[in-house]
Amino acid sequence: MPLKKQNLKCSLNNSDRLFSYSIGNSEEVPFDIDSQTGQLTTNRRLDFEAKENYKIEIVASPSVGPAGSGIVEINIIDKNDMKPRPSGSM
């Protein structure tokens, strides 16, 4: 997956408040989130063989009041990254 590829956008339907978005995972994940828009992007290449899915906690903090969070699960699709080679004669 190319770096900085747009994966998804996290948003809340509440026009009364402004929210700031962040990733709440304690372990490092290969994604960044735009704090103003909630746009998730990759920050390194993803490899299906290394890890097939990620669970990311997205935290939405309003300008006033308590923060809320939700879990986003991202499944990586396997891509054949090995070019086929002919083996012997037919």
Side-chain angles (χ1 to χ4, degrees):
M1 179 177 285
L3 292 179
K4 294 297 178 189
K5 175 150 175 100
Q6 176 181 325
N7 293 304
L8 62 98
K9 184 175 181 177
C10 303
S11 63
L12 297 171
N13 293 327
N14 189 335
S15 59
D16 299 5
R17 297 182 184 178
L18 294 175
F19 288 88
S20 174
Y21 299 94
S22 61
I23 294 176
N25 292 53
S26 57
E27 74 277 356
E28 186 179 340
V29 293
F31 299 94
D32 291 322
I33 191 164
D34 184 297
S35 64
Q36 294 180 356
T37 66
Q39 186 74 50
L40 273 177
T41 54
T42 54
N43 61 25
R44 63 180 177 254
R45 292 204 177 278
L46 303 178
D47 183 2
F48 176 85
E49 282 79 18
K51 188 160 183 171
E52 296 179 22
N53 61 31
Y54 295 88
K55 289 184 180 176
I56 303 170
E57 179 185 19
I58 305 297
V59 179
S61 303
S63 53
V64 176
S69 66
I71 301 294
V72 174
E73 186 169 351
I74 298 175
N75 294 309
I76 309 305
I77 298 171
D78 191 16
K79 177 183 171 190
N80 185 4
D81 51 1
M82 301 294 287
K83 293 184 180 183
R85 291 185 240 175
S87 58
S89 59
M90 296 184 154

